[in-house]
Amino acid sequence: MQEISGEEQEWQLLVDAADAGSRLDAALARAVPVFSRNRIKDLILAGSVAINGRAVTEPKYKLRDGEEVTLVAPEPIEAEPTPENIPLDILYEDDQLIVINKPVGMVVHPAPGNYTGTLVNALLYHCGDSLKGIGGVKRPGIVHRLDKDTSGVMVAAKTEQAHNHLAAQFADHGRTGPLHRAYMAYCWGRTQQASGTVEAPLGRDPANRLKQAVRQDGREAITHYWVEARFGDEGWDITRIRCELETGRTHQIRVHMAHIGHPLVADMVYGPGFATKVNRLPDQAKAAVAALGRQALHAAELGFEHPTSGEEMQFEAPLPPDLEALEAAIQPFDRAFAR
């Protein structure tokens, strides 16, 4: 289709020979990429699309050469979560997306028990009118999440086009595209190998619905890891590892590392049996672990393709103060190893 005119919420297009015979929803999705095909379908069903001045509500309508198609999208409605003036550590921002360093203790999306103080509340306030609407709602597009107690780099979309493009990259998990995610984790014990891959399917723990577990009937989950450093003295060992995800399951790194016998330091959900190891640490390290109050996991790196420019972008989030304190406390016990 050839665009005759286009504004922020209204488009007029002329059907050409290339799109003659195509479904209305498919052709519009190609012609107006700021909307997903599902969103286009919803707009057609809602009566927002006309052909030669007549409303058409059938997504499967077959287009004819020379027809004039008008799409009028309603203004995005205000999001239900309340904008809140919460400080953000912004690593990058433009009209399409925002990259932030999420702090420990911040929930990403409002949910029962956490309707305020979330990243979405903060983004609604900070981004304001720069949010162009996703799925017809003026909200930030969350394409991936970090646990409440996991710190590190995240990206959120401001437009539907950016949301669709980023979501596709995260769905691919970097298998064929430029998406790159790396996490820093501190684990109990000394891994037998300097690097490895954990391939173990994950699903809800039948004994505790709030936990994930390795299950034969679970969803595919693959974690690659590399040892960055080993620390220890008589009676204790901590390994700092770098993890990269080939899939993105809930609590994936935490469950996988516990599965191979090296749960994350201070992870009382997946490594409660290792809590007594804290007593074997030197005093400064013991205090640093006690002060964590959360799993020692940080989303350190994020790379992706910009949804409009095509530029490959890379971001790093430095260790937060609590993990810096842990690193400083165990650094004197660095055990050199051959990578």
Side-chain angles (χ1 to χ4, degrees), residues 5-331:
S5 66
E7 298 179 1
E8 189 166 346
Q9 298 298 128
E10 181 175 339
W11 292 262
Q12 285 189 312
L13 307 111
L14 185 66
V15 179
D16 55 23
D19 278 313
S22 296
R23 287 173 51 129
L24 173 61
D25 57 352
L28 270 178
R30 291 192 294 269
V32 189
V34 296
F35 295 128
S36 67
R37 184 162 174 176
N38 284 337
R39 176 63 175 149
I40 289 288
K41 180 180 179 181
D42 290 340
L43 290 170
I44 295 170
L45 293 172
S48 296
V49 176
I51 295 178
N52 295 335
R54 181 178 60 86
V56 175
T57 58
E58 177 51 65
K60 295 180 182 178
Y61 176 89
K62 296 296 176 124
L63 293 168
R64 300 181 179 89
D65 192 5
E67 288 182 317
E68 188 173 304
V69 180
T70 303
L71 167 62
V72 180
E75 290 290 336
I77 63 174
E78 295 297 329
E80 289 185 8
T82 303
E84 296 180 47
N85 187 5
I86 301 170
L88 290 172
D89 182 2
I90 299 170
L91 304 179
Y92 175 83
E93 182 177 11
D94 62 21
D95 62 345
Q96 294 292 318
L97 54 86
I98 183 170
V99 181
I100 62 106
N101 180 14
K102 188 187 86 67
V104 175
M106 175 179 275
V107 173
V108 171
H109 201 279
N114 293 286
Y115 286 114
T116 62
T118 72
L119 176 60
V120 167
N121 295 112
L123 289 174
L124 285 170
Y125 181 91
H126 172 80
C127 297
D129 290 338
S130 68
L131 296 174
K132 299 304 180 185
I134 296 171
V137 180
K138 193 178 291 186
R139 61 182 173 87
I142 303 299
V143 293
H144 68 127
R145 302 190 186 196
L146 296 177
D147 294 343
K148 173 184 177 182
D149 291 327
T150 298
S151 55
V153 61
M154 283 189 65
V155 61
K158 290 185 176 183
T159 69
E160 186 146 9
Q161 181 178 6
H163 184 263
N164 296 336
H165 197 286
L166 290 170
Q169 292 184 62
F170 276 89
D172 183 64
H173 296 291
R175 292 186 179 98
T176 62
L179 185 78
H180 162 75
R181 287 183 292 171
Y183 294 75
M184 196 68 69
Y186 294 82
C187 304
W188 287 116
R190 181 186 297 195
T191 59
Q192 293 183 351
Q193 301 171 308
S195 62
T197 297
V198 184
E199 189 168 356
L202 300 180
R204 193 181 299 279
D205 189 331
N208 185 341
R209 62 180 302 274
L210 299 179
K211 294 176 60 177
Q212 298 292 303
V214 172
R215 299 178 47 159
Q216 287 188 339
D217 62 347
R219 301 172 69 189
E220 179 187 38
I222 303 172
T223 303
H224 305 286
Y225 70 88
W226 294 263
V227 172
E228 294 278 324
R230 300 191 194 277
F231 309 93
D233 201 356
E234 186 174 347
W236 66 275
D237 286 282
I238 290 177
T239 301
R240 187 181 77 224
I241 63 170
R242 172 190 178 91
C243 294
E244 295 188 8
L245 303 181
E246 194 171 319
T247 55
R249 308 303 176 208
T250 301
H251 298 173
Q252 180 172 317
I253 293 173
R254 299 166 66 186
V255 181
H256 273 176
M257 295 315 297
H259 179 64
I260 63 172
H262 301 286
L264 273 57
V265 170
D267 190 343
M268 297 307 297
V269 175
Y270 296 104
F274 285 71
T276 57
K277 287 188 175 290
V278 176
N279 298 325
R280 303 178 185 178
L281 298 173
D283 290 343
Q284 188 175 356
K286 187 187 301 182
V289 172
L292 281 177
R294 57 106 173 194
Q295 66 274 1
L297 181 63
H298 177 67
E301 299 174 12
L302 176 63
F304 54 85
E305 180 183 276
H306 192 279
T308 56
S309 71
E311 178 187 358
E312 290 194 19
M313 312 187 77
Q314 298 285 336
F315 300 95
E316 296 184 9
L319 283 178
D322 59 352
L323 292 183
E324 279 192 331
L326 175 62
E327 175 83 17
I330 60 179
Q331 190 63 51

